C-alpha cells in the first residue's frame, strides 16, 4: 500500500530537492510532441471507420483531437512564457490539461470503436494501448493526473465495448488498467527513492558545507584571538614579530620604519591608581593608536607591559618622526577624567628608527628603535627621538 500512496501525488517529490528539478519535469510534461504523435495515431485509426462511412464518428473524433492539440499547444506556450514562478500553480494547470486530454482521447477512441467492424475496433484498441503505454512512460513523474488520464481513456473505450455487447473486452481493459496501476506504483516508488537519495545527498553536502564554513570561521576567530592582545584589542607581540619579519623580507629596497613607545611613569601610575585603572589606561592608549592609524597600512601592536610598537612599511625617517609626534600629542590630549581617581593626563616617550643597509635582521631595527626610546626617556620623557638624530619634538 505504501507504493500505491505515491500515485495520489500530483508530482512526485514536489516538496523535496531543488526547484530546478521540478521545473525540468514540468517542461517535459508540457512538451507537445507526444500528443502530436497520439493525434497522428488516432487519425490513422480513423481511416478505416471513415472508409466504412462512419463520417459522423470520425468528425466527432477529429474535433476532439483538434481541441486537445490546441489546448496542449496553448499550455506549452503559456508555460514557456510564464512570469509566475509558482511550481504548484503550473503543476495544477498541467493536471487539469492532462485530465482534459484523457477525456478527449477516450471519447474520440470510443466514438471510433462504436459501430465499427472487428478490424476497425482492433486498430482502435491498439492505438489506445499505445497511447496508454506512452502516457505511462512519463506518468511516474506526475502519477495522479496521468492515472486519471489513463482511467478516462480506458473507461470510455470499455463503456463503448460494453454497449457493443463485448463485455469480455471491458473486463480485459480493467485488467490492463490494474496492470498499469501496479507498473506505475513501482516506477513512482523507484523515482521517489531517487529523489529522496538526491535530496539527502544535497542536504548532507549542504550540512557539510555549513560545518566547514563554521569551522573556518571558528579557526579564523581563534587565529585572530591568537594574534590579538586581550586587553587593548590591538595586535599582540606574536603578531608584531610575524609582521616585522614579513615587512623586513618583503622589499629590501623600500623604506621601513619602526616606532617604539612607552607610557611615561606607568609603574607609578599603576601604584597610585590601581591595576584596574592602569588597565583602563592601556586600553585608552591602544584605542588612540588605533584611531590615529585608522585607514593606513601601518601595523600597531602591544609590545609588552606599557610598551607599544608600530611597523611602518614605506615610511622614511621623516614620516616616522611626524607620525610619532602626532601620536605623542594625541596621547597627551587623551581624556582620563572618566577613570576613577586618575591623573588628569598621561604622556609617552617615542623612539623611531628606519632600516639601513647595516640592518641584517629585524632585531637590528628593533635595537636601534629601542636605543632611541631610551634616549627620549633620558632627556626628560614625553618626547620623540629618532635613531641617528636628535629629538624631533618635545612637550
Amino acid at each position: 500500500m505504501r507504493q500505491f500512496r505515491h500515485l495520489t501525488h500530483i508530482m512526485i517529490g514536489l516538496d523535496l530537492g531543488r526547484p530546478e528539478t521540478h521545473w525540468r519535469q514540468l517542461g517535459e510534461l508540457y512538451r507537445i510532441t507526444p500528443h502530436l504523435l497520439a493525434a497522428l495515431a488516432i487519425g490513422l485509426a480513423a481511416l478505416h471507420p471513415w472508409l466504412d462511412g462512419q463520417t459522423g464518428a470520425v468528425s466527432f473524433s477529429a474535433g476532439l483531437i483538434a481541441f486537445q492539440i490546441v489546448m496542449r499547444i496553448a499550455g506549452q506556450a503559456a508555460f514557456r512564457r510564464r512570469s509566475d514562478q509558482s511550481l504548484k500553480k503550473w503543476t495544477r494547470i498541467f493536471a487539469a490539461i492532462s485530465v482534459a486530454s484523457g477525456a478527449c482521447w477516450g471519447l474520440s477512441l470510443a466514438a471510433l470503436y462504436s459501430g465499427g467492424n472487428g478490424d476497425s475496433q482492433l486498430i482502435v484498441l491498439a492505438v489506445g494501448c499505445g497511447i496508454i503505454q506512452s502516457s505511462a512512460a512519463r506518468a511516474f513523474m506526475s502519477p495522479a493526473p496521468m492515472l486519471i488520464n489513463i482511467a478516462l481513456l480506458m473507461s470510455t473505450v470499455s463503456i463503448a465495448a460494453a454497449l457493443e455487447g463485448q463485455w469480455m473486452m471491458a473486463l480485459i481493459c480493467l485488467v490492463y488498467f490494474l496492470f498499469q496501476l501496479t507498473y506505475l506504483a513501482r516506477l513512482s516508488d523507484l523515482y521517489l527513492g531517487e529523489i529522496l537519495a538526491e535530496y539527502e545527498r544535497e542536504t548532507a553536502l549542504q550540512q557539510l558545507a555549513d560545518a566547514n564554513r563554521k569551522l573556518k570561521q571558528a579557526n579564523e576567530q581563534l587565529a585572530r584571538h591568537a594574534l590579538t592582545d586581550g586587553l587593548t584589542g590591538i595586535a599582540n607581540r606574536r603578531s608584531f614579530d610575524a609582521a616585522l619579519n614579513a615587512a623586513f623580507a618583503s622589499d629590501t629596497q623600500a623604506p621601513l620604519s619602526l616606532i617604539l613607545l612607552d607610557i611615561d611613569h606607568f609603574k607609578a601610575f599603576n601604584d597610585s591608581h590601581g591595576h584596574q585603572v592602569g588597565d583602563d589606561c592601556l586600553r585608552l592608549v591602544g584605542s588612540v593608536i588605533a584611531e590615529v592609524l585608522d585607514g593606513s597600512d601601518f601595523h600597531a601592536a602591544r609590545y609588552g607591559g606599557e610598551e607599544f610598537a608600530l611597523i611602518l612599511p614605506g615610511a622614511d625617517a621623516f614620516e616616522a618622526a611626524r607620525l610619532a609626534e602626532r601620536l605623542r600629542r594625541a596621547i597627551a590630549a587623551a581624556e582620563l577624567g572618566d577613570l576613577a581617581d586618575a591623573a588628569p593626563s598621561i604622556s609617552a616617550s617615542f623612539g623611531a628608527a628606519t632600516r639601513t643597509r647595516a640592518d641584517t635582521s629585524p632585531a637590528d631595527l628593533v635595537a636601534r628603535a629601542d636605543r632611541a626610546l631610551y634616549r627620549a626617556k633620558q632627556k626628560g620623557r614625553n618626547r620623540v627621538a629618532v635613531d641617528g638624530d636628535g629629538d624631533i619634538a618635545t612637550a
Side-chain angles (χ1 to χ4, degrees), residues 166-228:
Q166 300 170 358
W167 294 98
M168 184 59 68
M169 187 58 67
L171 182 60
I172 291 173
C173 287
L174 177 61
V175 172
Y176 185 57
F177 178 75
L178 293 176
F179 167 76
Q180 292 294 335
L181 191 69
T182 305
Y183 171 70
L184 286 179
R186 179 60 178 161
L187 278 183
S188 299
D189 190 54
L190 290 173
Y191 187 58
L192 182 60
E194 291 179 6
I195 291 178
L196 283 171
E198 182 181 0
Y199 175 72
E200 289 171 357
R201 181 180 65 84
E202 290 181 352
T203 301
L205 289 175
Q206 184 61 48
Q207 290 174 344
L208 180 61
D210 290 342
N212 287 337
R213 178 177 53 79
K214 291 178 181 178
L215 180 60
K216 182 180 179 181
Q217 291 174 345
N219 288 335
E220 290 173 350
Q221 187 174 12
L222 286 173
R224 285 194 298 271
H225 287 170
L227 298 174
T228 302

Side-chain angles (χ1 to χ4, degrees), residues 110-390:
L112 296 175
Y113 188 91
S114 299
N117 57 36
D119 291 341
S120 177
Q121 291 176 343
L122 183 62
I123 293 172
V124 168
L125 288 174
V127 170
C129 289
I131 292 174
I132 289 171
Q133 206 60 42
S134 175
S135 298
R138 303 193 301 164
F140 64 89
M141 292 185 287
S142 182
M146 300 297 271
L147 270 177
I148 296 173
N149 179 313
I150 293 170
L152 286 171
L153 192 157
M154 296 194 70
S155 61
T156 50
V157 173
S158 297
I159 291 171
L163 292 175
E164 293 286 314
Q166 300 170 358
W167 294 98
M168 184 59 68
M169 187 58 67
L171 182 60
I172 291 173
C173 287
L174 177 61
V175 172
Y176 185 57
F177 178 75
L178 293 176
F179 167 76
Q180 292 294 335
L181 191 69
T182 305
Y183 171 70
L184 286 179
R186 179 60 178 161
L187 278 183
S188 299
D189 190 54
L190 290 173
Y191 187 58
L192 182 60
E194 291 179 6
I195 291 178
L196 283 171
E198 182 181 0
Y199 175 72
E200 289 171 357
R201 181 180 65 84
E202 290 181 352
T203 301
L205 289 175
Q206 184 61 48
Q207 290 174 344
L208 180 61
D210 290 342
N212 287 337
R213 178 177 53 79
K214 291 178 181 178
L215 180 60
K216 182 180 179 181
Q217 291 174 345
N219 288 335
E220 290 173 350
Q221 187 174 12
L222 286 173
R224 285 194 298 271
H225 287 170
L227 298 174
T228 302
D229 178 59
L231 179 63
T232 62
I234 62 175
N236 60 15
R237 176 64 181 271
R238 177 186 297 180
S239 177
F240 167 80
D241 290 338
L244 183 59
N245 286 330
F248 207 85
S250 62
D251 186 356
T252 57
Q253 302 303 317
L256 173 65
S257 297
L258 176 67
I259 296 174
L260 294 180
L261 70 96
D262 189 277
I263 301 175
D264 295 331
H265 306 295
F266 185 75
K267 184 179 183 305
F269 183 93
N270 234 6
D271 292 342
S272 299
H273 304 291
H275 291 287
Q276 184 174 355
V277 176
D279 288 347
D280 290 339
C281 178
L282 291 172
R283 277 191 286 266
L284 179 62
V285 171
S287 66
V288 169
I289 294 173
E291 184 178 352
V292 171
L293 297 189
D294 185 37
S296 73
D297 295 328
F298 300 153
H299 185 90
R302 185 181 177 194
Y303 193 71
E306 69 273 20
E307 198 168 6
F308 295 80
L310 289 80
I311 304 169
L312 316 177
D316 58 20
F318 177 77
E319 291 174 295
R322 187 171 59 179
L323 177 61
E325 173 59 15
R326 182 182 170 194
L327 279 168
R328 187 193 69 79
R329 292 177 181 274
I331 291 172
E335 294 291 337
L336 295 178
D338 56 341
L339 304 182
D341 299 323
S345 65
I346 56 173
S347 65
S349 300
F350 292 77
T354 300
R355 178 173 57 184
T356 65
R357 293 180 180 178
D359 295 324
T360 60
S361 70
D364 295 336
L365 184 60
V366 171
R368 292 199 297 110
D370 194 51
R371 286 195 297 270
L373 173 61
Y374 182 73
R375 191 168 69 252
K377 290 181 178 180
Q378 279 186 321
K379 293 189 175 183
R381 304 179 187 271
N382 191 20
R383 67 189 62 234
V384 175
V386 177
D387 182 64
D389 296 318

Side-chain angles (χ1 to χ4, degrees), residues 28 30-37 68-69 72-73 76:
E28 174 62 26
Y30 272 99
R31 194 160 57 91
I32 189 64
T33 307
H35 305 282
L36 295 175
L37 294 175
Q68 192 261 351
I69 291 298
R72 285 286 182 172
I73 291 174
Q76 184 187 56

